[in-house]
PDB file of all heavy atoms in Angstrom:
ATOM      1  N   PRO A  57     -12.359  16.925   3.841  1.00 82.00           N
ATOM      2  CA  PRO A  57     -13.252  15.778   3.572  1.00 82.00           C
ATOM      3  C   PRO A  57     -13.981  15.895   2.219  1.00 82.00           C
ATOM      4  O   PRO A  57     -14.223  14.883   1.556  1.00 82.00           O
ATOM      5  CB  PRO A  57     -14.303  15.866   4.735  1.00 82.00           C
ATOM      6  CG  PRO A  57     -13.553  16.576   5.839  1.00 82.00           C
ATOM      7  CD  PRO A  57     -12.698  17.558   5.123  1.00 82.00           C
ATOM      8  N   LYS A  58     -14.300  17.126   1.834  1.00 79.00           N
ATOM      9  CA  LYS A  58     -15.017  17.310   0.543  1.00 79.00           C
ATOM     10  C   LYS A  58     -14.160  16.893  -0.644  1.00 79.00           C
ATOM     11  O   LYS A  58     -14.612  16.197  -1.541  1.00 79.00           O
ATOM     12  CB  LYS A  58     -15.459  18.791   0.416  1.00 79.00           C
ATOM     13  CG  LYS A  58     -16.405  19.051  -0.730  1.00 79.00           C
ATOM     14  CD  LYS A  58     -16.945  20.455  -0.681  1.00 79.00           C
ATOM     15  CE  LYS A  58     -17.976  20.711  -1.802  1.00 79.00           C
ATOM     16  NZ  LYS A  58     -18.510  22.065  -1.770  1.00 79.00           N
ATOM     17  N   LYS A  59     -12.893  17.328  -0.627  1.00 80.00           N
ATOM     18  CA  LYS A  59     -11.983  16.940  -1.720  1.00 80.00           C
ATOM     19  C   LYS A  59     -11.723  15.456  -1.721  1.00 80.00           C
ATOM     20  O   LYS A  59     -11.621  14.796  -2.767  1.00 80.00           O
ATOM     21  CB  LYS A  59     -10.668  17.719  -1.618  1.00 80.00           C
ATOM     22  CG  LYS A  59     -10.777  19.194  -1.945  1.00 80.00           C
ATOM     23  CD  LYS A  59      -9.438  19.875  -1.891  1.00 80.00           C
ATOM     24  CE  LYS A  59      -9.541  21.346  -2.254  1.00 80.00           C
ATOM     25  NZ  LYS A  59      -8.233  22.063  -2.159  1.00 80.00           N
ATOM     26  N   LEU A  60     -11.579  14.868  -0.494  1.00 85.00           N
ATOM     27  CA  LEU A  60     -11.373  13.455  -0.427  1.00 85.00           C
ATOM     28  C   LEU A  60     -12.544  12.661  -0.915  1.00 85.00           C
ATOM     29  O   LEU A  60     -12.436  11.599  -1.527  1.00 85.00           O
ATOM     30  CB  LEU A  60     -11.033  13.077   1.038  1.00 85.00           C
ATOM     31  CG  LEU A  60      -9.651  13.517   1.553  1.00 85.00           C
ATOM     32  CD1 LEU A  60      -9.531  13.124   3.041  1.00 85.00           C
ATOM     33  CD2 LEU A  60      -8.540  12.904   0.730  1.00 85.00           C
ATOM     34  N   GLN A  61     -13.762  13.207  -0.699  1.00 82.00           N
ATOM     35  CA  GLN A  61     -14.967  12.547  -1.161  1.00 82.00           C
ATOM     36  C   GLN A  61     -14.986  12.474  -2.670  1.00 82.00           C
ATOM     37  O   GLN A  61     -15.355  11.434  -3.253  1.00 82.00           O
ATOM     38  CB  GLN A  61     -16.217  13.281  -0.650  1.00 82.00           C
ATOM     39  CG  GLN A  61     -17.547  12.712  -1.122  1.00 82.00           C
ATOM     40  CD  GLN A  61     -17.753  11.245  -0.669  1.00 82.00           C
ATOM     41  OE1 GLN A  61     -17.277  10.884   0.402  1.00 82.00           O
ATOM     42  NE2 GLN A  61     -18.387  10.447  -1.487  1.00 82.00           N
ATOM     43  N   THR A  62     -14.548  13.531  -3.343  1.00 83.00           N
ATOM     44  CA  THR A  62     -14.456  13.510  -4.799  1.00 83.00           C
ATOM     45  C   THR A  62     -13.530  12.443  -5.262  1.00 83.00           C
ATOM     46  O   THR A  62     -13.851  11.688  -6.226  1.00 83.00           O
ATOM     47  CB  THR A  62     -13.958  14.891  -5.300  1.00 83.00           C
ATOM     48  OG1 THR A  62     -14.856  15.898  -4.859  1.00 83.00           O
ATOM     49  CG2 THR A  62     -13.880  14.894  -6.810  1.00 83.00           C
ATOM     50  N   LEU A  63     -12.356  12.273  -4.628  1.00 84.00           N
ATOM     51  CA  LEU A  63     -11.420  11.249  -4.996  1.00 84.00           C
ATOM     52  C   LEU A  63     -11.967   9.871  -4.696  1.00 84.00           C
ATOM     53  O   LEU A  63     -11.749   8.883  -5.441  1.00 84.00           O
ATOM     54  CB  LEU A  63     -10.077  11.459  -4.280  1.00 84.00           C
ATOM     55  CG  LEU A  63      -9.284  12.654  -4.754  1.00 84.00           C
ATOM     56  CD1 LEU A  63      -8.182  13.003  -3.749  1.00 84.00           C
ATOM     57  CD2 LEU A  63      -8.638  12.341  -6.111  1.00 84.00           C
ATOM     58  N   SER A  64     -12.716   9.758  -3.606  1.00 84.00           N
ATOM     59  CA  SER A  64     -13.320   8.478  -3.247  1.00 84.00           C
ATOM     60  C   SER A  64     -14.297   8.021  -4.298  1.00 84.00           C
ATOM     61  O   SER A  64     -14.348   6.839  -4.660  1.00 84.00           O
ATOM     62  CB  SER A  64     -14.019   8.603  -1.910  1.00 84.00           C
ATOM     63  OG  SER A  64     -14.585   7.384  -1.501  1.00 84.00           O
ATOM     64  N   THR A  65     -15.086   8.935  -4.881  1.00 86.00           N
ATOM     65  CA  THR A  65     -16.051   8.572  -5.938  1.00 86.00           C
ATOM     66  C   THR A  65     -15.321   8.151  -7.233  1.00 86.00           C
ATOM     67  O   THR A  65     -15.907   7.526  -8.080  1.00 86.00           O
ATOM     68  CB  THR A  65     -16.980   9.760  -6.230  1.00 86.00           C
ATOM     69  OG1 THR A  65     -16.216  10.884  -6.686  1.00 86.00           O
ATOM     70  CG2 THR A  65     -17.795  10.149  -5.001  1.00 86.00           C
ATOM     71  N   GLN A  66     -14.017   8.523  -7.327  1.00 84.00           N
ATOM     72  CA  GLN A  66     -13.222   8.143  -8.506  1.00 84.00           C
ATOM     73  C   GLN A  66     -12.459   6.803  -8.246  1.00 84.00           C
ATOM     74  O   GLN A  66     -11.662   6.388  -9.068  1.00 84.00           O
ATOM     75  CB  GLN A  66     -12.212   9.246  -8.844  1.00 84.00           C
ATOM     76  CG  GLN A  66     -12.906  10.522  -9.285  1.00 84.00           C
ATOM     77  CD  GLN A  66     -11.968  11.698  -9.385  1.00 84.00           C
ATOM     78  OE1 GLN A  66     -10.754  11.571  -9.179  1.00 84.00           O
ATOM     79  NE2 GLN A  66     -12.485  12.871  -9.694  1.00 84.00           N
ATOM     80  N   GLY A  67     -12.780   6.168  -7.113  1.00 86.00           N
ATOM     81  CA  GLY A  67     -12.253   4.840  -6.870  1.00 86.00           C
ATOM     82  C   GLY A  67     -11.032   4.758  -5.972  1.00 86.00           C
ATOM     83  O   GLY A  67     -10.485   3.667  -5.774  1.00 86.00           O
ATOM     84  N   PHE A  68     -10.604   5.897  -5.397  1.00 90.00           N
ATOM     85  CA  PHE A  68      -9.447   5.905  -4.516  1.00 90.00           C
ATOM     86  C   PHE A  68      -9.853   5.730  -3.070  1.00 90.00           C
ATOM     87  O   PHE A  68     -10.862   6.281  -2.600  1.00 90.00           O
ATOM     88  CB  PHE A  68      -8.632   7.200  -4.655  1.00 90.00           C
ATOM     89  CG  PHE A  68      -7.988   7.373  -6.029  1.00 90.00           C
ATOM     90  CD1 PHE A  68      -8.537   8.264  -6.939  1.00 90.00           C
ATOM     91  CD2 PHE A  68      -6.864   6.664  -6.343  1.00 90.00           C
ATOM     92  CE1 PHE A  68      -7.945   8.438  -8.175  1.00 90.00           C
ATOM     93  CE2 PHE A  68      -6.273   6.824  -7.590  1.00 90.00           C
ATOM     94  CZ  PHE A  68      -6.813   7.721  -8.511  1.00 90.00           C
ATOM     95  N   LYS A  69      -9.042   4.962  -2.299  1.00 92.00           N
ATOM     96  CA  LYS A  69      -9.210   4.914  -0.868  1.00 92.00           C
ATOM     97  C   LYS A  69      -8.694   6.248  -0.296  1.00 92.00           C
ATOM     98  O   LYS A  69      -7.739   6.821  -0.796  1.00 92.00           O
ATOM     99  CB  LYS A  69      -8.401   3.767  -0.263  1.00 92.00           C
ATOM    100  CG  LYS A  69      -8.935   2.381  -0.630  1.00 92.00           C
ATOM    101  CD  LYS A  69      -8.124   1.303   0.067  1.00 92.00           C
ATOM    102  CE  LYS A  69      -8.624  -0.082  -0.285  1.00 92.00           C
ATOM    103  NZ  LYS A  69      -7.852  -1.147   0.333  1.00 92.00           N
ATOM    104  N   THR A  70      -9.373   6.734   0.736  1.00 92.00           N
ATOM    105  CA  THR A  70      -8.976   8.012   1.315  1.00 92.00           C
ATOM    106  C   THR A  70      -8.987   7.930   2.859  1.00 92.00           C
ATOM    107  O   THR A  70      -9.656   7.090   3.461  1.00 92.00           O
ATOM    108  CB  THR A  70      -9.933   9.143   0.897  1.00 92.00           C
ATOM    109  OG1 THR A  70     -11.260   8.840   1.361  1.00 92.00           O
ATOM    110  CG2 THR A  70      -9.948   9.300  -0.611  1.00 92.00           C
ATOM    111  N   LEU A  71      -8.202   8.805   3.470  1.00 90.00           N
ATOM    112  CA  LEU A  71      -8.121   8.934   4.900  1.00 90.00           C
ATOM    113  C   LEU A  71      -7.886  10.369   5.307  1.00 90.00           C
ATOM    114  O   LEU A  71      -7.244  11.127   4.576  1.00 90.00           O
ATOM    115  CB  LEU A  71      -6.923   8.119   5.470  1.00 90.00           C
ATOM    116  CG  LEU A  71      -7.106   6.639   5.887  1.00 90.00           C
ATOM    117  CD1 LEU A  71      -5.768   6.106   6.364  1.00 90.00           C
ATOM    118  CD2 LEU A  71      -8.129   6.478   6.959  1.00 90.00           C
ATOM    119  N   LEU A  72      -8.413  10.775   6.429  1.00 89.00           N
ATOM    120  CA  LEU A  72      -8.069  12.073   7.013  1.00 89.00           C
ATOM    121  C   LEU A  72      -6.775  11.942   7.790  1.00 89.00           C
ATOM    122  O   LEU A  72      -6.445  10.853   8.328  1.00 89.00           O
ATOM    123  CB  LEU A  72      -9.206  12.542   7.922  1.00 89.00           C
ATOM    124  CG  LEU A  72     -10.498  12.966   7.269  1.00 89.00           C
ATOM    125  CD1 LEU A  72     -11.589  13.129   8.314  1.00 89.00           C
ATOM    126  CD2 LEU A  72     -10.315  14.234   6.437  1.00 89.00           C
ATOM    127  N   TYR A  73      -5.996  13.015   7.871  1.00 89.00           N
ATOM    128  CA  TYR A  73      -4.741  12.969   8.592  1.00 89.00           C
ATOM    129  C   TYR A  73      -4.934  12.486  10.056  1.00 89.00           C
ATOM    130  O   TYR A  73      -4.105  11.758  10.588  1.00 89.00           O
ATOM    131  CB  TYR A  73      -4.068  14.365   8.617  1.00 89.00           C
ATOM    132  CG  TYR A  73      -3.420  14.734   7.331  1.00 89.00           C
ATOM    133  CD1 TYR A  73      -3.816  15.840   6.572  1.00 89.00           C
ATOM    134  CD2 TYR A  73      -2.364  13.964   6.846  1.00 89.00           C
ATOM    135  CE1 TYR A  73      -3.195  16.189   5.398  1.00 89.00           C
ATOM    136  CE2 TYR A  73      -1.719  14.304   5.632  1.00 89.00           C
ATOM    137  CZ  TYR A  73      -2.149  15.391   4.926  1.00 89.00           C
ATOM    138  OH  TYR A  73      -1.512  15.739   3.739  1.00 89.00           O
ATOM    139  N   GLU A  74      -6.037  12.865  10.644  1.00 86.00           N
ATOM    140  CA  GLU A  74      -6.290  12.495  12.040  1.00 86.00           C
ATOM    141  C   GLU A  74      -6.458  10.971  12.215  1.00 86.00           C
ATOM    142  O   GLU A  74      -6.306  10.441  13.333  1.00 86.00           O
ATOM    143  CB  GLU A  74      -7.500  13.225  12.558  1.00 86.00           C
ATOM    144  CG  GLU A  74      -8.794  12.925  11.824  1.00 86.00           C
ATOM    145  CD  GLU A  74      -9.861  13.977  12.011  1.00 86.00           C
ATOM    146  OE1 GLU A  74      -9.623  15.133  11.688  1.00 86.00           O
ATOM    147  OE2 GLU A  74     -10.940  13.587  12.495  1.00 86.00           O
ATOM    148  N   ASP A  75      -6.757  10.267  11.125  1.00 88.00           N
ATOM    149  CA  ASP A  75      -6.946   8.842  11.173  1.00 88.00           C
ATOM    150  C   ASP A  75      -5.748   8.047  10.627  1.00 88.00           C
ATOM    151  O   ASP A  75      -5.817   6.793  10.499  1.00 88.00           O
ATOM    152  CB  ASP A  75      -8.195   8.433  10.392  1.00 88.00           C
ATOM    153  CG  ASP A  75      -9.455   9.080  10.939  1.00 88.00           C
ATOM    154  OD1 ASP A  75      -9.575   9.173  12.169  1.00 88.00           O
ATOM    155  OD2 ASP A  75     -10.312   9.499  10.110  1.00 88.00           O
ATOM    156  N   PHE A  76      -4.647   8.765  10.288  1.00 91.00           N
ATOM    157  CA  PHE A  76      -3.529   8.148   9.622  1.00 91.00           C
ATOM    158  C   PHE A  76      -2.347   7.946  10.570  1.00 91.00           C
ATOM    159  O   PHE A  76      -1.992   8.806  11.359  1.00 91.00           O
ATOM    160  CB  PHE A  76      -3.082   9.023   8.449  1.00 91.00           C
ATOM    161  CG  PHE A  76      -1.863   8.500   7.699  1.00 91.00           C
ATOM    162  CD1 PHE A  76      -1.907   7.259   7.076  1.00 91.00           C
ATOM    163  CD2 PHE A  76      -0.695   9.281   7.648  1.00 91.00           C
ATOM    164  CE1 PHE A  76      -0.785   6.802   6.403  1.00 91.00           C
ATOM    165  CE2 PHE A  76       0.399   8.809   6.955  1.00 91.00           C
ATOM    166  CZ  PHE A  76       0.354   7.565   6.349  1.00 91.00           C
ATOM    167  N   ASP A  77      -1.726   6.779  10.466  1.00 90.00           N
ATOM    168  CA  ASP A  77      -0.566   6.421  11.254  1.00 90.00           C
ATOM    169  C   ASP A  77       0.608   6.123  10.309  1.00 90.00           C
ATOM    170  O   ASP A  77       0.473   5.234   9.454  1.00 90.00           O
ATOM    171  CB  ASP A  77      -0.854   5.200  12.130  1.00 90.00           C
ATOM    172  CG  ASP A  77       0.337   4.714  12.936  1.00 90.00           C
ATOM    173  OD1 ASP A  77       1.333   5.453  12.995  1.00 90.00           O
ATOM    174  OD2 ASP A  77       0.261   3.590  13.491  1.00 90.00           O
ATOM    175  N   ILE A  78       1.691   6.839  10.419  1.00 94.00           N
ATOM    176  CA  ILE A  78       2.794   6.734   9.448  1.00 94.00           C
ATOM    177  C   ILE A  78       3.665   5.501   9.707  1.00 94.00           C
ATOM    178  O   ILE A  78       4.429   5.087   8.847  1.00 94.00           O
ATOM    179  CB  ILE A  78       3.668   8.018   9.486  1.00 94.00           C
ATOM    180  CG1 ILE A  78       4.549   8.073   8.236  1.00 94.00           C
ATOM    181  CG2 ILE A  78       4.525   8.071  10.750  1.00 94.00           C
ATOM    182  CD1 ILE A  78       5.298   9.376   8.091  1.00 94.00           C
ATOM    183  N   GLU A  79       3.593   4.903  10.881  1.00 95.00           N
ATOM    184  CA  GLU A  79       4.467   3.831  11.282  1.00 95.00           C
ATOM    185  C   GLU A  79       4.528   2.667  10.276  1.00 95.00           C
ATOM    186  O   GLU A  79       3.496   2.043   9.973  1.00 95.00           O
ATOM    187  CB  GLU A  79       4.086   3.262  12.654  1.00 95.00           C
ATOM    188  CG  GLU A  79       5.012   2.197  13.205  1.00 95.00           C
ATOM    189  CD  GLU A  79       6.397   2.770  13.569  1.00 95.00           C
ATOM    190  OE1 GLU A  79       6.489   3.920  13.977  1.00 95.00           O
ATOM    191  OE2 GLU A  79       7.375   1.975  13.349  1.00 95.00           O
ATOM    192  N   GLY A  80       5.745   2.391   9.739  1.00 96.00           N
ATOM    193  CA  GLY A  80       5.961   1.279   8.835  1.00 96.00           C
ATOM    194  C   GLY A  80       5.383   1.439   7.454  1.00 96.00           C
ATOM    195  O   GLY A  80       5.392   0.495   6.660  1.00 96.00           O
ATOM    196  N   LYS A  81       4.903   2.639   7.122  1.00 96.00           N
ATOM    197  CA  LYS A  81       4.211   2.837   5.843  1.00 96.00           C
ATOM    198  C   LYS A  81       5.174   3.345   4.751  1.00 96.00           C
ATOM    199  O   LYS A  81       6.265   3.829   5.029  1.00 96.00           O
ATOM    200  CB  LYS A  81       3.114   3.899   6.018  1.00 96.00           C
ATOM    201  CG  LYS A  81       2.082   3.617   7.090  1.00 96.00           C
ATOM    202  CD  LYS A  81       1.151   2.536   6.698  1.00 96.00           C
ATOM    203  CE  LYS A  81      -0.090   2.474   7.574  1.00 96.00           C
ATOM    204  NZ  LYS A  81       0.049   2.573   9.024  1.00 96.00           N
ATOM    205  N   ASP A  82       4.777   3.150   3.487  1.00 97.00           N
ATOM    206  CA  ASP A  82       5.455   3.736   2.352  1.00 97.00           C
ATOM    207  C   ASP A  82       4.657   4.937   1.931  1.00 97.00           C
ATOM    208  O   ASP A  82       3.478   4.858   1.563  1.00 97.00           O
ATOM    209  CB  ASP A  82       5.545   2.711   1.192  1.00 97.00           C
ATOM    210  CG  ASP A  82       6.400   1.494   1.521  1.00 97.00           C
ATOM    211  OD1 ASP A  82       7.218   1.609   2.460  1.00 97.00           O
ATOM    212  OD2 ASP A  82       6.212   0.473   0.881  1.00 97.00           O
ATOM    213  N   VAL A  83       5.278   6.118   2.018  1.00 97.00           N
ATOM    214  CA  VAL A  83       4.536   7.377   1.978  1.00 97.00           C
ATOM    215  C   VAL A  83       5.149   8.315   0.905  1.00 97.00           C
ATOM    216  O   VAL A  83       6.376   8.395   0.723  1.00 97.00           O
ATOM    217  CB  VAL A  83       4.642   8.094   3.332  1.00 97.00           C
ATOM    218  CG1 VAL A  83       4.005   9.465   3.296  1.00 97.00           C
ATOM    219  CG2 VAL A  83       3.998   7.240   4.421  1.00 97.00           C
ATOM    220  N   ILE A  84       4.265   8.996   0.158  1.00 97.00           N
ATOM    221  CA  ILE A  84       4.669  10.048  -0.786  1.00 97.00           C
ATOM    222  C   ILE A  84       4.194  11.366  -0.242  1.00 97.00           C
ATOM    223  O   ILE A  84       2.996  11.596  -0.049  1.00 97.00           O
ATOM    224  CB  ILE A  84       4.120   9.790  -2.189  1.00 97.00           C
ATOM    225  CG1 ILE A  84       4.631   8.486  -2.729  1.00 97.00           C
ATOM    226  CG2 ILE A  84       4.494  10.952  -3.129  1.00 97.00           C
ATOM    227  CD1 ILE A  84       4.020   8.136  -4.075  1.00 97.00           C
ATOM    228  N   LEU A  85       5.147  12.299   0.040  1.00 97.00           N
ATOM    229  CA  LEU A  85       4.754  13.631   0.511  1.00 97.00           C
ATOM    230  C   LEU A  85       4.552  14.528  -0.702  1.00 97.00           C
ATOM    231  O   LEU A  85       5.467  14.790  -1.462  1.00 97.00           O
ATOM    232  CB  LEU A  85       5.875  14.234   1.360  1.00 97.00           C
ATOM    233  CG  LEU A  85       6.347  13.446   2.585  1.00 97.00           C
ATOM    234  CD1 LEU A  85       7.383  14.289   3.363  1.00 97.00           C
ATOM    235  CD2 LEU A  85       5.213  13.079   3.480  1.00 97.00           C
ATOM    236  N   ALA A  86       3.303  14.984  -0.899  1.00 95.00           N
ATOM    237  CA  ALA A  86       3.002  15.819  -2.062  1.00 95.00           C
ATOM    238  C   ALA A  86       2.276  17.106  -1.659  1.00 95.00           C
ATOM    239  O   ALA A  86       1.676  17.765  -2.532  1.00 95.00           O
ATOM    240  CB  ALA A  86       2.128  15.032  -3.056  1.00 95.00           C
ATOM    241  N   PHE A  87       2.319  17.453  -0.379  1.00 93.00           N
ATOM    242  CA  PHE A  87       1.722  18.733   0.042  1.00 93.00           C
ATOM    243  C   PHE A  87       2.688  19.873  -0.254  1.00 93.00           C
ATOM    244  O   PHE A  87       3.799  19.657  -0.751  1.00 93.00           O
ATOM    245  CB  PHE A  87       1.348  18.674   1.538  1.00 93.00           C
ATOM    246  CG  PHE A  87       2.407  18.125   2.428  1.00 93.00           C
ATOM    247  CD1 PHE A  87       3.554  18.841   2.764  1.00 93.00           C
ATOM    248  CD2 PHE A  87       2.291  16.825   2.968  1.00 93.00           C
ATOM    249  CE1 PHE A  87       4.536  18.339   3.579  1.00 93.00           C
ATOM    250  CE2 PHE A  87       3.256  16.291   3.802  1.00 93.00           C
ATOM    251  CZ  PHE A  87       4.387  17.053   4.127  1.00 93.00           C
ATOM    252  N   LYS A  88       2.281  21.124   0.034  1.00 92.00           N
ATOM    253  CA  LYS A  88       3.114  22.278  -0.221  1.00 92.00           C
ATOM    254  C   LYS A  88       4.340  22.296   0.708  1.00 92.00           C
ATOM    255  O   LYS A  88       4.180  21.947   1.897  1.00 92.00           O
ATOM    256  CB  LYS A  88       2.337  23.596  -0.072  1.00 92.00           C
ATOM    257  CG  LYS A  88       1.150  23.702  -0.984  1.00 92.00           C
ATOM    258  CD  LYS A  88       1.604  23.718  -2.458  1.00 92.00           C
ATOM    259  CE  LYS A  88       0.378  23.933  -3.403  1.00 92.00           C
ATOM    260  NZ  LYS A  88       0.780  23.881  -4.821  1.00 92.00           N
TER     261      LYS A  88
END
Side-chain angles (χ1 to χ4, degrees):
K58 191 172 182 180
K59 289 183 178 179
L60 289 177
Q61 177 61 33
T62 300
L63 288 165
S64 182
T65 61
Q66 295 169 3
F68 293 105
K69 293 182 179 179
T70 61
L71 270 179
L72 290 169
Y73 283 120
E74 61 200 59
D75 301 320
F76 177 61
D77 177 12
I78 197 173
E79 183 66 36
K81 305 286 196 314
D82 295 339
V83 176
I84 299 176
L85 304 184
F87 46 75
K88 298 298 184 184

